Amino acid sequence: MHVTKDIRYVGVDDHEIDLFEGQYVVPNGMAYNSYAIVDEKIAVMDTVDKRFGDQWLGNIEAALGGRKPDYLVVHHMEPDHSANIARFLEVYPGAAVVSSAKAFAMMKNFFGSDYADRRVVVGEGDTLNLGRHTLTFLTAPMVHWPEVIVSYDSCDKVLFSADGFGKFGALDAQEDWACEARRYYIGIVGKYGAQVQALLKKAAKLDIQTICPLHGPVLTENLGYYINLYDIWSSYRAESEGVVIAYTSVYGHTKAAAALLAEKLAQKGCPKVTVTDLARDDMAEAVEDAFRYSKLVLATTTYNGDIFPFMKEFIHHLTERGYQNRTVAFVENGSWAPVAAKVMGTMLEGSKNLTYTRNNVRLLSALSADSEAQIEALAQELCD
Ligand code: FEO
């Protein structure tokens, strides 16, 4: 597959994976992208997951028509991209590795060598000339690890964006880009909004016509759409108006309260209502929705003088990713000493710029006339 006349796709699709990065379900698989720039010199951009080394090396061989690569450019050292570095360097003993100083320190830890005799260390603004193509390197620390660099090819106006602008899903998956790119971004890079903003500012100075990420499709059209979404996500602004009701329920009473609230919100014309069962639905999807929409209702039971474990995990996912700038409401349940709202409030204390609703809901075991009236009041406040 040609990205441009000189840039070829040599990555692989993975439909065998169960959990990406050990925790994310990927029903449509995963792509580990790699590219070859074929010029007077040849640069291969990143490797692929360890399990696909044979296929990837075969792709390179087929793409190069008998020529051999001169450089392996390593943008990111996470093993989904770096696992085949040592193998590549064995197969191509004449090739040099191009990467950041921090990446070479990681190579020593992963592979036992920092390739001192065959490496090119690059930093901010450094260039690599291949002939017609010149790569300029930009540092992108914490997008998604500290050693990350991205590179810009001024000849074809291509940004090699590392994990940035990636998504879950193999390349042969027919699915909406934003849905799985958002779940990927919030889950994996969401904590590092400030660093993504810094990278977007650098990228804004470049004339970019194509984005080649390490996961997901090559982006060639309407780049403003993708860049705008990254700007929204990394600045922690709500992407859409709407209410996410995230609940846990032991015997169904808190679930009934969540359902009643959803029904009332829909009746009142709330633009979007999403209900998620934190014990059963995909946690990463729930976290994605919390960041996507403007308002969040947390509904849970009091449990061991604390809150139910799945809610605790959910709030932890939010706070560690810098959850902020949203409206939050609490629905608590407790059969003898309800403390869930207090516990949830304490967990969110460090989160910036949250607006708490005046109306919250307290269930004393099951729905009652009192708690139904509280749900009505909360629904009205969330819609106002
Ligand atoms: Fe796709 Fe951070 O590795």
Side-chain angles (χ1 to χ4, degrees):
M1 181 174 99
H2 282 245
V3 176
T4 66
K5 183 171 134 302
D6 296 333
I7 300 177
R8 288 152 207 189
Y9 183 83
V10 293
V12 299
D13 268 354
D14 180 359
H15 285 289
E16 299 164 9
I17 189 166
D18 60 345
L19 293 175
F20 180 66
E21 290 191 0
Q23 62 171 317
Y24 298 100
V25 294
V26 280
N28 287 329
M30 203 65 205
Y32 313 113
N33 295 341
S34 171
Y35 308 90
I37 305 177
V38 181
D39 198 341
E40 289 164 31
K41 301 276 189 185
I42 293 174
V44 172
M45 316 298 267
D46 298 290
T47 87
V48 300
D49 186 89
K50 189 169 181 55
R51 292 169 293 124
F52 295 87
D54 288 346
Q55 189 183 335
W56 173 66
L57 288 167
N59 290 351
I60 292 170
E61 201 179 343
L64 302 190
R67 292 182 62 191
K68 304 240 182 288
D70 299 279
Y71 301 107
L72 174 65
V73 176
V74 175
H75 291 99
H76 181 18
M77 277 302 295
E78 192 162 11
D80 51 334
H81 312 293
S82 71
N84 284 290
I85 291 174
R87 190 154 172 219
F88 175 95
L89 293 174
E90 277 169 32
V91 173
Y92 296 111
V97 200
V98 182
S99 198
S100 66
K102 283 197 172 88
F104 285 107
M106 290 181 178
M107 284 180 220
K108 179 128 184 121
N109 293 334
F110 275 113
F111 306 114
S113 174
D114 56 7
Y115 304 108
D117 57 339
R118 54 192 297 196
R119 75 180 180 198
V120 179
V121 181
V122 292
E124 184 74 20
D126 288 344
T127 58
L128 180 72
N129 184 263
L130 304 173
R132 295 178 300 284
H133 298 260
T134 298
L135 292 172
T136 301
F137 296 96
L138 305 171
T139 58
M142 301 320 295
V143 186
H144 139 234
W145 278 15
E147 85 296 357
V148 171
I149 50 174
V150 301
S151 58
Y152 176 68
D153 169 23
S154 52
C155 175
D156 287 346
K157 304 189 187 323
V158 173
L159 179 71
F160 294 93
S161 60
D163 275 340
F165 300 98
K167 68 182 273 295
F168 294 129
L171 291 195
D172 59 10
Q174 300 295 315
E175 61 185 6
D176 176 55
W177 184 86
C179 183
E180 284 297 68
R182 188 189 302 102
R183 189 169 70 97
Y184 171 89
Y185 173 86
I186 301 295
I188 290 172
V189 196
K191 180 180 172 73
Y192 304 108
Q195 291 86 345
V196 174
Q197 282 281 310
L199 180 59
L200 289 176
K201 284 195 175 66
K202 290 186 198 180
K205 295 182 186 142
L206 304 171
D207 176 10
I208 300 168
Q209 291 180 2
T210 301
I211 297 175
C212 287
L214 286 176
H215 302 288
V218 171
L219 305 175
T220 55
E221 289 175 359
N222 198 12
L223 296 188
Y225 167 76
Y226 306 101
I227 292 167
N228 180 51
L229 283 177
Y230 256 64
D231 184 40
I232 291 170
W233 300 339
S234 59
S235 57
Y236 299 97
R237 286 177 281 140
E239 184 182 331
S240 306
E241 281 301 314
V243 180
V244 178
I245 304 171
Y247 75 89
T248 66
S249 194
V250 185
Y251 291 105
H253 297 107
T254 312
K255 178 179 181 178
L260 182 62
L261 177 62
E263 190 186 314
K264 286 183 180 291
L265 287 167
Q267 282 167 2
K268 290 175 191 299
C270 180
K272 173 78 184 176
V273 182
T274 299
V275 182
T276 180
D277 177 348
L278 296 174
R280 291 176 179 81
D281 297 333
D282 175 24
M283 183 63 80
E285 188 88 26
V287 173
E288 173 199 342
D289 280 343
F291 280 88
R292 178 178 185 177
Y293 293 107
S294 53
K295 294 169 185 169
L296 175 64
V297 179
L298 299 169
T300 195
T301 46
T302 302
Y303 190 79
N304 287 337
D306 202 320
I307 54 174
F308 208 59
F310 300 99
M311 179 60 80
K312 201 162 187 167
E313 182 189 344
F314 179 61
I315 296 175
H316 180 69
H317 280 302
L318 300 184
T319 54
E320 75 171 355
R321 286 167 177 76
Y323 186 73
Q324 55 188 277
N325 302 330
R326 303 292 192 278
T327 296
V328 175
F330 299 125
V331 175
E332 69 174 357
N333 197 348
S335 292
W336 60 94
V339 295
K342 185 164 175 282
V343 171
M344 291 190 284
T346 302
M347 286 187 75
L348 289 165
E349 265 171 3
S351 299
K352 287 189 284 186
N353 198 25
L354 296 184
T355 303
Y356 293 98
T357 54
R358 283 174 282 104
N359 294 284
N360 289 308
V361 178
R362 169 174 282 187
L363 273 72
L364 297 168
S365 299
L367 279 170
S368 65
D370 268 2
S371 52
E372 286 182 16
Q374 290 167 21
I375 288 171
E376 169 64 28
L378 176 57
Q380 192 58 50
E381 184 179 354
L382 288 169
C383 289
D384 283 345

